[in-house]
C-alpha cells in the first residue's frame, strides 16, 4: 500500500527533525569533548532549516556571532564568516535534493 502525500510529508518532518535534533545534541556534547562540535551543530541546523523557520534565523546570525567572538567589527567580512556561509550553502543544497 503506497503512502499518500500527507503521510510522506509527516514522515519527512519526523525524519528531518530527528536527524537534525540528533546532530544538535551530538554537537553540543562534542563541545565539551576534545572533538569539534561546531560543524556538527551547523549541519544539524541546516537539516532542520529545511522544515522549520527558527534554524534559518539562527543560521543567518552565525557570521555575526563569529565576528563578535573573534573581536572583529560586526560589518567586517572575514574569511571565517565567508567559509561558514559557503559551508551552510553546500549542505543546504545537498539536503534539498532529498
Amino acid at each position: 500500500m503506497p503512502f499518500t502525500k500527507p503521510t510522506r510529508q509527516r514522515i519527512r518532518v519526523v525524519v528531518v527533525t530527528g536527524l537534525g535534533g540528533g546532530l544538535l545534541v551530538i554537537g553540543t556534547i562534542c563541545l565539551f569533548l576534545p572533538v569539534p562540535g561546531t560543524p556538527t551543530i551547523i549541519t544539524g541546523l541546516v537539516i532542520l532549516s529545511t522544515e522549520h523557520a527558527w534554524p534559518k534565523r539562527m543560521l543567518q546570525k552565525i557570521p555575526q556571532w563569529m565576528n563578535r567572538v573573534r573581536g572583529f567589527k560586526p560589518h567586517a567580512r572575514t574569511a571565517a564568516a565567508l567559509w561558514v556561509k559557503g559551508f551552510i550553502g553546500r549542505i543546504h543544497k545537498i539536503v534539498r535534493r532529498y
Side-chain angles (χ1 to χ4, degrees):
M1 177 176 180
F3 290 117
T4 61
K5 189 170 183 175
T7 305
R8 283 189 202 147
Q9 289 174 343
R10 287 186 198 132
I11 291 172
R12 178 181 162 83
V13 169
V14 168
V15 169
V16 166
T17 304
L19 182 63
L23 285 173
L24 282 178
V25 169
I26 291 170
T28 305
I29 291 170
C30 288
L31 290 175
F32 299 102
L33 300 173
V35 180
T38 307
T40 309
I41 291 173
I42 291 173
T43 305
L45 287 173
V46 169
I47 291 172
L48 284 171
S49 71
T50 61
E51 293 294 329
H52 304 286
W54 63 269
K56 289 179 187 176
R57 292 189 299 266
M58 289 184 75
L59 287 171
Q60 291 172 350
K61 294 179 183 180
I62 286 176
Q64 296 170 359
W65 294 338
M66 288 179 63
N67 287 333
R68 272 192 240 146
V69 168
R70 294 201 171 147
F72 293 116
K73 296 177 185 174
H75 64 280
R77 295 185 66 115
T78 63
L82 293 174
W83 180 86
V84 168
K85 285 182 181 180
F87 180 72
I88 291 169
R90 285 190 187 117
I91 292 176
H92 201 275
K93 284 181 185 177
I94 292 169
V95 171
R96 294 291 281 182
R97 287 184 196 164
Y98 300 102

